Amino acid sequence: MLGSKIKMQLVLLTILPLLLLVLIIAAFSIYQSKASLEEQLKEQGQLVTEQAALMSDFYLYTGNIPKLESLADLMIKIKGVESIRFADITNQTLVERGAIGQHPEHEPFYRLVTSSNIELSDFDASPSLESPEPVGSIHINLSREAITVKQQDGLVLIVLVSLLSLLIGLILSHLFSKKLSLSLNALVDSANQVQQGHYNTRCEENGTGELLELQKTFNDMINALALNEKDLQSKIDLATQSIQTTMQALADKNDELERTKQEAVNLGKSKAIADERTRIMRDMHDGIGGQLVATLALLELEPDNETKNNIAAILKACLDDFRLIINSLNVHANTLNALLADFKYLIGTKLEKMDIELHWNVLTLPEQVTIDPQQSLHILRILQEAFTNIMKHSNASEIILQGLYEDGLVTITIKDNGRTPEQDKTKNGHGLNNMKWRAEQLSADLNIISDPSQGYTIALTLPVAISSAETL
Amino acid sequence: MRYFLLLLLFLTSSGTVQAKTIHFILSSESRVVGQAVYDIQSQLIKPDTATHYKTTLTHQFSKADIASEDLLVAIGNKAAKDLINLRLPNPTVIGFTDKQTNAYIDANRPHDNMSVISLNQPAQRLLTYSDPLAGTGYKKALLVAVSEQNQALLSELESIAPLTHGQLKIVIVPKGTLAAKVLEPDLFDAAALIAIQDNEIWTGKNAKWLLQQAFNYKVPVVGYSESFLKAGALASVYSSLDDVAISTAQSINAWLNQTAPNSFAIIYPDATIKINPSIARVYRSAAESLNAQGKVN
């Protein structure tokens, strides 16, 4: 965890070798110190024994015990000397001070005291063949306490110096790593920002030397990356826009295709219905119509009488109604104007016979108001019922039919100037109901206003569609 | 040193033995012997062209190379004894020998045409020089230790004892005893310890203890060699290498000049007197009573 941070890595990188070096130096120093102290102890021991030998050789040679005792008393006062023993050449103790013997805290020293020869001849350069004659020996024990204390002092000093070195090294490495890590962290932060897409981020140029060069290069790299990203984004936007346009065009085409397909289906259906209707209409015209005409022709050959005239009148009424139905099913004349024109032609003859003046006002209606055959039949029935009621019951002399178009609604108003007797109201109840039912089938409003002094006013308001020229 | 001696041998042996040849016979190839030969030859008068030098180590010396008119010069005790043992009739000069060798030469010489230049000074010369040290109080004796077997020295000392006005005290050291211990009682009232060469007393082993014992009793020591000064003596009366070389050269020059006496003689070179200044600071009054440093004849 700690080693994952740059600063800590740098600190570890610098402090670990220093720690190793300090440990090695400390170990070496401790070893050297110990060896040096041991050497000092050895030198001190040799020096003391040498001094003792120089001072005692003559007394050992002459066996002067009092002098040796004085010397031993003097030597035992030397710091560190725990015991001293003078012995003759047979190792017989002559003088002893302190306890000579094995002791873990004592370092023993031994020296054989010899009588060295003096060269008395100025010209005899040949070395003396006489070996030094032993005159006795000295045993000295030195205390190791002093060396132990010195070792401990040295150890404490080495540890203190090591800790101080480590502390200084730690501080220096901290400062050094802080300076480096600032630069590196700036780089890392900038890299993270760039990774998250913040291409406007720039690394703070707070390093020195190669790090500063690296930061500058990194910033240049971000600049290039930002330019590339911008270029790429613009290309992506263009491509996206192009795809969306293409998709929209495809959708439009698809809708158009669907619509065309639906129109084709509708057209096919309409055509099939129209064909069937044409076939039925033709069959009815040729069959029922022909028989009605043939019946009338046969009836004309019969002598006139009331019965014959009544039957002929009924047959002619049937034949007119049949023609009206045939015309309403004529798919080729499917406009409101054509429908109204056919109706005017059929009803005009009757009105002339009854001396009723017809005022036909449909000029304001648009030519392109289309209606299907079912609607045509309902409208014809309503008009037929209205005119029939006027001709039968109102004694009107004048009928006004007016057609108006406004906001997709066509209002056809039929008004007469006749009268409406009270006894006729209940007689004509089924006709009015049929008219209302047909108006509902047309989703139209039917208003019937009966004014005994003014006559009937019937207003039919129905929604219509105005087809384009192409569809016509 | 060996190369120096070989060069010396080469230079001095280049002549032919046709006329007179001086044969230097050396005890050893030591630096002292080489220096002695060099000093002797540098003191010689320029010989005629018929005179040549030849230097030989004693163990290489052969009497076959000797002509009857040649001079033989032995340097050192060993060379002297070897030459005496050859018993050659040639005139002979012997230098750098001690008292014992001188006595041997005197007793075994083949002829009298021989001069011996001694390293050691005569006992009388040391006693005469040391005489001012003899006091008037209780420390007045001039102490001399003699081994009991050195009768020659004992006789010599007894002969010159009257010259010391009764201050000479001769201590006989029995064989097998410690000289320092034997001398200790006499050091108490001694004015000075005079070291006269006795190979049983003044050995390298004993000298240290004798000097130390004398120092313990504040008795100054007068030695017979310069080495005594280094060992702790107050003063020394001795023949230096130059002194002996000059005397030896004089004897050779006398032979070359044909003025040498045709008789055996032991010649004592001039003595050099030297005082150890460090010891003199201890024995201030004694040192002041001695003659200043220099030469004595």
Side-chain angles (χ1 to χ4, degrees):
Chain A
M1 181 63 185
L2 287 175
S4 62
K5 292 191 174 180
I6 292 173
K7 185 178 174 183
M8 192 52 66
Q9 284 180 7
L10 286 170
V11 169
L12 291 176
L13 201 65
T14 51
I15 203 68
L16 283 180
L18 178 63
L19 177 63
L20 185 63
L21 185 65
V22 166
L23 285 177
I24 291 172
I25 291 174
F28 182 73
S29 300
I30 290 170
Y31 173 75
Q32 283 291 98
S33 171
K34 189 176 179 182
S36 173
L37 289 172
E38 291 286 346
E39 188 67 27
Q40 282 181 18
L41 183 68
K42 190 177 287 185
E43 283 180 4
Q44 186 189 2
Q46 288 173 348
L47 187 64
V48 170
T49 51
E50 192 172 346
Q51 282 180 330
L54 285 171
M55 295 168 76
S56 65
D57 56 356
F58 183 65
Y59 305 132
L60 285 170
Y61 177 70
T62 58
N64 194 335
I65 301 296
K67 287 288 185 184
L68 287 175
E69 286 178 337
S70 300
L71 185 59
D73 291 337
L74 185 68
M75 298 297 290
I76 199 72
K77 293 176 183 174
I78 295 174
K79 187 179 179 183
V81 177
E82 293 293 326
S83 61
I84 184 167
R85 170 175 171 261
F86 292 103
D88 62 12
I89 55 174
T90 63
N91 203 26
Q92 189 73 30
T93 301
L94 299 175
V95 173
E96 183 175 337
R97 294 288 183 272
I100 293 291
Q102 295 291 331
H103 194 285
E105 289 300 315
H106 292 172
E107 185 71 22
F109 292 92
Y110 167 81
R111 183 182 173 97
L112 184 67
V113 183
T114 58
S115 167
S116 57
N117 295 335
I118 294 177
E119 183 55 56
L120 296 178
S121 172
D122 295 339
F123 304 104
D124 189 2
S126 60
S128 173
L129 296 176
E130 297 176 8
S131 58
E133 182 184 6
V135 295
S137 60
I138 300 173
H139 302 258
I140 289 177
N141 274 350
L142 287 184
S143 170
R144 297 186 65 85
E145 185 182 353
I147 194 174
T148 306
V149 171
K150 282 185 179 177
Q151 277 180 350
Q152 289 173 349
D153 291 347
L155 188 63
V156 170
L157 185 65
I158 288 167
V159 169
L160 284 177
V161 169
S162 301
L163 288 176
L164 187 64
S165 303
L166 275 178
L167 183 64
I168 292 171
L170 195 60
I171 291 170
L172 289 176
S173 66
H174 171 74
L175 294 174
F176 172 71
S177 60
K178 185 179 178 183
K179 184 174 173 58
L180 273 182
S181 63
L182 275 177
S183 308
L184 291 174
N185 282 333
L187 272 173
V188 170
D189 291 343
S190 303
N192 286 333
Q193 291 289 323
V194 170
Q195 189 183 21
Q196 292 170 5
H198 303 300
Y199 292 104
N200 54 350
T201 302
R202 294 294 178 272
C203 177
E204 185 183 356
E205 295 179 354
N206 55 359
T208 55
E210 292 172 344
L211 268 177
L212 179 62
E213 288 297 319
L214 180 62
Q215 288 173 329
K216 286 180 176 175
T217 307
F218 182 75
N219 284 339
D220 293 342
M221 201 167 66
I222 295 175
N223 286 333
L225 206 59
L227 287 174
N228 286 341
E229 179 69 16
K230 189 176 178 182
D231 185 46
L232 192 63
Q233 191 60 45
S234 65
K235 286 180 178 175
I236 289 172
D237 290 343
L238 281 174
T240 305
Q241 192 176 359
S242 173
I243 288 170
Q244 285 176 346
T245 305
T246 306
M247 284 178 70
Q248 186 60 43
L250 280 174
D252 293 346
K253 289 284 183 187
N254 196 29
D255 291 344
E256 188 178 345
L257 188 63
E258 190 67 27
R259 195 164 53 248
T260 305
K261 186 178 173 185
Q262 190 62 40
E263 284 178 358
V265 170
N266 292 339
L267 196 62
K269 283 181 180 177
S270 300
K271 186 175 183 298
I273 292 171
D275 289 346
E276 183 64 17
R277 186 175 286 131
T278 303
R279 185 188 63 80
I280 293 170
M281 185 181 69
R282 191 169 290 130
D283 287 343
M284 288 173 67
H285 181 271
D286 293 344
I288 298 172
Q291 287 183 7
L292 286 174
V293 172
T295 304
L296 277 173
L298 289 176
L299 196 60
E300 288 291 332
L301 296 178
E302 295 292 326
D304 287 337
N305 55 41
E306 188 177 357
T307 304
K308 172 193 165 187
N309 291 333
N310 288 339
I311 293 172
I314 292 169
L315 285 176
K316 283 182 181 177
C318 289
L319 189 59
D320 290 340
D321 193 50
F322 184 70
R323 283 176 181 162
L324 187 66
I325 292 170
I326 293 299
N327 286 337
S328 70
L329 295 178
N330 185 6
V331 296
H332 300 293
N334 56 350
T335 63
L336 183 61
N337 285 336
L339 180 71
L340 293 175
D342 286 343
F343 181 74
K344 182 184 176 186
Y345 172 74
L346 288 174
I347 204 69
T349 309
K350 289 180 179 178
L351 293 175
E352 282 179 6
K353 287 180 179 177
M354 293 175 69
D355 199 21
I356 297 172
E357 189 178 1
L358 178 61
H359 299 279
W360 196 266
N361 185 14
V362 292
L363 294 176
T364 57
L365 288 177
E367 290 292 332
Q368 296 86 1
V369 176
T370 55
I371 51 174
D372 57 30
Q374 192 61 41
Q375 288 177 317
S376 298
L377 187 58
H378 287 311
I379 292 169
L380 280 176
R381 288 299 183 193
I382 290 171
L383 293 176
Q384 190 176 28
E385 182 66 22
F387 274 84
T388 302
N389 286 338
I390 291 170
M391 285 185 295
K392 284 182 177 179
H393 307 293
S394 66
N395 291 321
S397 59
E398 187 177 52
I399 298 173
I400 301 169
L401 186 143
Q402 186 174 19
L404 292 173
Y405 173 80
E406 186 177 5
D407 297 333
L409 296 174
V410 170
T411 303
I412 300 170
T413 306
I414 303 163
K415 184 178 172 73
D416 65 83
N417 57 353
R419 60 177 179 83
T420 306
E422 289 296 324
Q423 64 272 21
D424 290 338
K425 286 183 181 175
T426 51
K427 214 177 196 177
N428 296 324
H430 293 294
L432 285 174
N433 289 335
N434 287 339
M435 289 172 68
K436 287 178 182 176
W437 176 81
R438 289 184 186 278
E440 286 177 3
Q441 296 301 309
L442 289 169
S443 300
D445 290 333
L446 180 66
N447 290 321
I448 301 172
I449 302 169
S450 177
D451 186 356
S453 59
Q454 297 292 329
Y456 284 107
T457 300
I458 298 173
L460 176 65
T461 302
L462 72 159
V464 294
I466 298 175
S467 63
S468 61
E470 286 78 10
T471 56
L472 292 171
Chain B
M1 188 60 230
R2 181 171 294 179
Y3 296 114
F4 171 73
L5 189 61
L6 289 173
L7 177 65
L8 193 67
L9 289 172
F10 173 75
L11 291 173
T12 56
S13 62
S14 56
T16 56
V17 189
Q18 293 178 350
K20 290 184 285 188
T21 300
I22 300 174
H23 293 272
F24 288 92
I25 305 159
L26 312 183
S27 293
S28 69
E29 53 183 358
S30 68
R31 182 189 65 80
V32 175
V33 173
Q35 185 66 41
V37 174
Y38 179 78
D39 288 349
I40 292 169
Q41 290 180 353
S42 63
Q43 296 287 332
L44 294 178
I45 59 171
K46 187 172 177 62
D48 55 31
T49 54
T51 302
H52 303 282
Y53 301 149
K54 186 173 184 182
T55 303
T56 316
L57 290 172
T58 183
H59 65 272
Q60 295 172 338
F61 179 71
S62 169
K63 62 184 180 182
D65 298 331
I66 307 298
S68 58
E69 64 273 23
D70 290 347
L71 174 64
L72 305 179
V73 179
I75 304 298
N77 294 324
K78 187 172 190 311
K81 286 181 180 178
D82 290 346
L83 187 58
I84 292 298
N85 291 338
L86 287 174
R87 308 195 64 78
L88 297 171
N90 297 67
T92 304
V93 174
I94 297 174
F96 297 89
T97 52
D98 58 18
K99 274 181 178 284
Q100 278 70 24
T101 304
N102 293 342
Y104 181 83
I105 294 167
D106 189 18
N108 298 287
R109 66 180 187 271
H111 53 80
D112 289 340
N113 191 7
M114 186 177 293
S115 298
V116 178
I117 294 88
S118 176
L119 274 176
N120 300 123
Q121 293 294 310
Q124 184 183 352
R125 189 175 284 178
L126 264 78
L127 289 173
T128 303
Y129 175 73
S130 305
D131 191 57
L133 294 173
T136 53
Y138 75 94
K139 291 176 79 73
K140 58 185 179 182
L142 297 177
L143 203 60
V144 176
V146 182
S147 60
E148 66 178 351
Q149 60 267 41
N150 195 348
Q151 291 300 316
L153 178 59
L154 187 58
S155 300
E156 184 184 358
L157 290 173
E158 286 174 348
S159 66
I160 60 176
L163 300 175
T164 61
H165 308 94
Q167 304 297 344
L168 181 62
K169 189 172 185 177
I170 302 170
V171 178
I172 308 296
V173 178
K175 191 175 183 180
T177 58
L178 293 176
K181 275 202 163 184
V182 173
L183 275 176
E184 188 175 4
D186 297 302
L187 286 170
F188 184 73
D189 57 355
L193 175 61
I194 312 302
I196 298 174
Q197 189 182 20
D198 184 326
N199 291 342
E200 298 298 325
I201 302 295
W202 294 101
T203 62
K205 201 178 293 182
N206 283 338
K208 177 182 175 182
W209 310 124
L210 286 168
L211 286 162
Q212 186 162 349
Q213 190 72 293
F215 183 77
N216 289 340
Y217 286 90
K218 297 293 182 286
V219 175
V221 176
V222 177
Y224 58 84
S225 70
E226 191 178 13
S227 299
F228 266 89
L229 296 174
K230 297 173 187 173
L234 171 64
S236 271
V237 179
Y238 62 95
S239 296
S240 69
L241 189 144
D242 284 345
D243 295 332
V244 182
I246 289 169
S247 293
T248 306
Q250 286 172 346
S251 294
I252 296 170
N253 284 334
W255 178 81
L256 287 172
N257 295 330
Q258 297 179 339
T259 58
N262 193 16
S263 60
F264 177 74
I266 294 177
I267 300 166
Y268 293 100
D270 292 346
T272 296
I273 298 170
K274 193 177 271 188
I275 292 175
N276 185 331
S278 298
I279 305 296
R281 280 193 286 273
V282 179
Y283 303 107
R284 181 180 296 175
S285 60
E288 288 172 350
S289 64
L290 288 173
N291 291 330
Q293 298 183 88
K295 296 277 186 186
V296 289
N297 296 316

